[in-house]
Amino acid sequence: MRVSRRKLTVVTGLVLAFAVPFAATMLLTGSVAAVSKPEPKKPESSKPEPRMHRLVLPINSDDPTTMRALISTALNLPKYYRERNEPFEIEVVAYNAGVHMLRADTSPVKDLLRVVRGLTPDIRLVVCEATKLGMERAEGHPLVLLDHVDLVPNGPGRIIELQEAGWSYIRS
């Protein structure tokens, strides 16, 4: 059986039309030498780790209604996320007139804050040190803060830092 020259040319052309681009692709992408490694199997029951929810709550008002609204948020959100088995953090940042919320002598909500600390012990309460120092100068005596209240150099600066670190922000 004799193959005609024309058929041989057509077959050779078709082989080259597919083989040359395929070989070039394999060489350029390094796929010729690549060895695939099997991925380890994950147990079917493993779920991805739940995302940590972080919230900063600012308070800059001495209005008791605003303070109670903030406390309501600080109580309800952790409960919501606990029911979903998702981790949650809250930081309350008090500055300007909001410092009154965390003062032992002027807080209209100190009893409510004790409840919050009991139900949500991991909540962090912080006061702007710049505001505290200004109040001390104006009043002529050192301020006494509630138990478990920390100081930060600057309240608004702390809020900005937390937001830049991915924390959510809810204004009460």
Side-chain angles (χ1 to χ4, degrees), residues 58-75 92 94 97-118 123 125 127 145-147 149 172:
I59 182 74
N60 66 352
S61 168
D62 59 357
D63 175 45
T65 302
T66 303
M67 293 177 187
R68 283 192 292 278
L70 182 139
I71 290 170
S72 176
T73 300
L75 284 172
V92 175
V99 170
H100 287 286
M101 178 176 167
L102 301 176
R103 285 180 57 167
D105 60 340
T106 62
S107 176
V109 293
K110 61 182 155 193
D111 294 334
L112 283 173
L113 287 171
R114 273 191 224 112
V115 172
V116 170
R117 296 292 299 170
I123 190 171
L125 305 172
V127 165
L145 300 175
L146 298 173
D147 291 337
V149 173
S172 294

Side-chain angles (χ1 to χ4, degrees), residues 66-143:
T66 303
M67 293 177 187
R68 283 192 292 278
L70 182 139
I71 290 170
S72 176
T73 300
L75 284 172
N76 290 322
L77 276 174
K79 179 182 173 197
Y80 170 77
Y81 283 110
R82 265 189 237 114
E83 289 171 356
R84 296 173 61 174
N85 291 322
E86 296 179 14
F88 193 83
E89 283 183 72
I90 295 178
E91 185 165 316
V92 175
V93 179
Y95 63 100
N96 293 342
V99 170
H100 287 286
M101 178 176 167
L102 301 176
R103 285 180 57 167
D105 60 340
T106 62
S107 176
V109 293
K110 61 182 155 193
D111 294 334
L112 283 173
L113 287 171
R114 273 191 224 112
V115 172
V116 170
R117 296 292 299 170
L119 295 173
T120 312
D122 54 344
I123 190 171
R124 183 168 186 231
L125 305 172
V126 300
V127 165
C128 172
E129 187 173 26
T131 301
K132 179 181 178 277
L133 292 172
M135 287 179 159
E136 288 174 343
R137 273 191 307 275
E139 296 178 25
H141 61 85
L143 297 186

Side-chain angles (χ1 to χ4, degrees), residues 1-80:
M1 174 163 131
R2 189 169 172 199
V3 179
S4 73
R5 189 176 185 132
R6 183 175 173 185
K7 285 185 182 179
L8 184 59
T9 304
V10 169
V11 170
T12 303
L14 287 173
V15 168
L16 290 175
F18 291 105
V20 170
F22 178 73
T25 301
M26 298 300 276
L27 288 172
L28 291 174
T29 60
S31 298
V32 173
V35 177
S36 65
K37 296 178 184 176
E39 291 185 30
K41 289 187 177 182
K42 296 178 183 175
E44 291 179 25
S45 63
S46 74
K47 294 179 183 176
E49 190 68 26
R51 187 181 99 136
M52 173 64 88
H53 302 282
R54 293 180 171 95
L55 174 65
V56 57
L57 293 171
I59 182 74
N60 66 352
S61 168
D62 59 357
D63 175 45
T65 302
T66 303
M67 293 177 187
R68 283 192 292 278
L70 182 139
I71 290 170
S72 176
T73 300
L75 284 172
N76 290 322
L77 276 174
K79 179 182 173 197
Y80 170 77

